[in-house]
Amino acid sequence: MFSPFFHRTALAEQIDFDQLRKRFDPAMTKKLAVIKLPPSFWMQDPKINPRADHLLWAALLLDDPERAALAFSAMAVEHEERRRKQGTGEAPGIDKVLANTVQELLQLIPLANQELRLRICRLAGRIAP
């Protein structure tokens, strides 16, 4: 759903924020509908259940604190369900998951775009637990 936005070449060029914003809201609605279901009914099709990390990346690129917090909460719900299945001590904490997710996005953004990188880090710091 968001894959065209998250390639090195796309992030090196001008990001189409209008298109990204238009895709975010319906995708977030789908994600919230899925995580309201019992976990055994969570679909794996990204058209029905968009990736939480991609939702967070989109919100961070949009520099939208509300969207970022919403995407992070969906990510936290999925993370807690994985932790519950694996056992409590085996999965990293949600703060580590957030840091890793942000780091993955930053690796896709050219070093020359320091303003965007700093903006993303600042917003991620605001939503961190």
Side-chain angles (χ1 to χ4, degrees):
M1 186 165 247
F2 292 101
S3 295
F5 294 98
F6 303 135
H7 291 288
R8 281 191 188 275
T9 54
L11 290 169
E13 299 170 1
Q14 182 63 34
I15 300 166
D16 186 350
F17 290 109
D18 289 332
Q19 188 66 17
L20 189 58
R21 196 172 290 109
K22 286 178 186 176
R23 287 190 187 189
F24 181 89
D25 292 330
M28 192 71 231
T29 300
K30 289 177 182 183
K31 174 57 90 178
L32 293 174
V34 168
I35 62 175
K36 285 182 181 179
L37 296 170
S40 59
F41 291 104
W42 290 357
M43 299 113 228
Q44 299 307 312
D45 182 354
K47 291 180 183 175
I48 297 169
N49 184 8
R51 289 178 45 179
D53 60 339
H54 282 187
L55 287 165
L56 180 62
W57 288 0
L60 291 171
L61 288 171
L62 291 169
D63 197 28
D64 188 316
E66 290 83 20
R67 284 183 171 114
L70 192 57
F72 179 61
S73 66
M75 180 181 281
V77 168
E78 289 182 339
H79 175 71
E80 286 305 312
E81 180 55 28
R82 277 192 300 274
R83 278 180 74 161
R84 188 187 65 75
K85 283 183 180 178
Q86 293 175 349
T88 56
E90 297 177 28
I94 191 64
D95 54 336
K96 182 70 172 163
V97 172
L98 174 62
N100 290 343
T101 302
V102 170
Q103 191 59 38
E104 288 174 18
L105 175 59
L106 292 175
Q107 288 176 354
L108 297 174
I109 298 171
L111 291 174
N113 199 342
Q114 284 299 318
E115 182 181 330
L116 177 60
R117 296 169 68 85
L118 288 172
R119 200 176 70 214
I120 287 169
C121 290
R122 193 176 10 235
L123 179 53
R126 289 176 57 194
I127 65 168

